[in-house]
Amino acid sequence: MTQGTAVIIGAGSGLSASVARQLHARGHDLVLGARNTDKLAALASETNARTVAIDGSDPDQMNALFDAIETPLRVAVYNPSARQRGPITELDPEEVRRAVEVTAFGSFLMGQAAARIMQDQEEQDGKRGTILFTGASAGVKGFAQSAPFAMGKFAQRGLAESMARELHPKGVHVAWVNIDGGISNTARTERTDDGTDKMLDPDAIATAYMQLIDQHRSTWSNELSLRPWVERF
């Protein structure tokens, strides 16, 4: 029996793949959204997921994805972000605009589309749904020559906090997850851990996401920081 739909925007081979596998194991109907769905073929086959080509910062595309959902929407996860590094005096304004659109505006679009569905549907296990935003330490502290990323992540964090205050009383759990450190074993970065657990394991992060989804409503978290035991903060 299906546990309802789970949507992952910005799906790929790293963290989102780990999240997809664990959601599939729980019996969710999966929808994986990404700019390039060709790269999702193997993951989609493994998790019996439907793939959708989407620019997360496009309102029409985001709404169309959520309008096509046929079973109750139980989980929505937003992963995309964009970086534009360089001295503040040399940054290209249009590239900065695009970075903020991907990280912050796209988060808003998914959050809005998911909330519209979740707040009016039947409860399951004491909640109507869970919305999770994949954040970063840049949403807590702005690093030098990384202003666009900080702008996007600070905005995303503020969005999640505002949504949590509005939607928790309506039975929709919203949380922002600070991924404070490098993620190991991701194809995008080709970073690997040396066995000392100095980097975040994507499967372990996904398990933390499942724990957020499972939280009893008497103890809902609206923020969670995940960092390796050796990470400075």
Side-chain angles (χ1 to χ4, degrees):
M1 181 177 178
T2 180
Q3 295 299 307
T5 297
V7 174
I8 301 175
I9 302 297
S13 60
L15 167 59
S16 53
S18 293
V19 174
R21 293 185 183 102
Q22 293 196 29
L23 288 170
H24 170 65
R26 289 171 166 233
H28 287 285
D29 299 320
L30 278 180
V31 178
L32 306 178
R35 288 176 178 275
N36 177 11
T37 56
D38 292 341
K39 65 181 182 180
L40 299 177
L43 179 62
S45 177
E46 177 186 350
T47 59
N48 196 29
R50 178 169 66 90
T51 61
V52 178
I54 181 175
D55 174 351
S57 64
D58 185 296
D60 292 336
Q61 292 182 29
M62 186 68 74
N63 289 331
L65 184 153
F66 280 88
D67 286 345
I69 291 174
E70 297 180 350
T71 60
L73 176 62
R74 297 303 177 189
V75 180
V77 181
Y78 192 85
N79 280 324
S81 60
R83 300 171 184 261
Q84 180 62 31
R85 294 190 60 84
I88 191 69
T89 56
E90 298 176 12
L91 292 171
D92 183 301
E94 287 306 313
E95 292 183 357
V96 172
R97 185 200 303 273
R98 182 57 183 159
V100 175
E101 286 177 346
V102 170
T103 307
F105 186 58
S107 294
F108 159 74
L109 292 176
M110 189 207 75
Q112 182 184 61
R116 283 172 171 164
I117 296 173
M118 289 179 178
Q119 67 180 4
D120 293 327
Q121 65 188 9
E122 293 293 326
E123 287 187 1
Q124 181 184 64
D125 299 326
K127 68 172 65 175
R128 290 186 166 86
T130 303
I131 301 172
L132 302 177
F133 298 99
T134 299
S137 48
V140 179
K141 53 185 177 181
F143 295 91
Q145 297 197 7
S146 188
F149 193 49
M151 292 162 66
K153 286 301 180 184
F154 264 84
Q156 183 187 62
R157 184 186 181 200
L159 166 72
E161 184 172 319
S162 176
M163 287 180 60
R165 288 196 166 102
E166 178 181 349
L167 296 176
H168 282 191
K170 297 181 179 181
V172 179
H173 186 190
V174 181
W176 181 80
V177 185
N178 176 6
I179 307 299
D180 191 9
I183 301 176
S184 66
N185 304 318
T186 61
R188 180 179 64 83
T189 58
E190 298 182 351
R191 292 182 289 195
T192 57
D193 193 90
D194 60 6
T196 63
D197 295 325
K198 66 182 181 182
M199 305 181 78
L200 293 106
D201 184 296
D203 290 339
I205 300 173
T207 297
Y209 278 42
M210 299 307 114
Q211 291 167 348
L212 281 171
I213 293 168
D214 290 342
Q215 280 184 340
H216 189 271
R217 62 185 177 184
S218 68
T219 57
W220 276 355
S221 302
N222 69 289
E223 281 196 12
L224 176 66
S225 291
L226 301 176
R227 60 177 62 89
W229 64 293
V230 295
E231 186 75 18
R232 296 179 180 179
F233 64 99

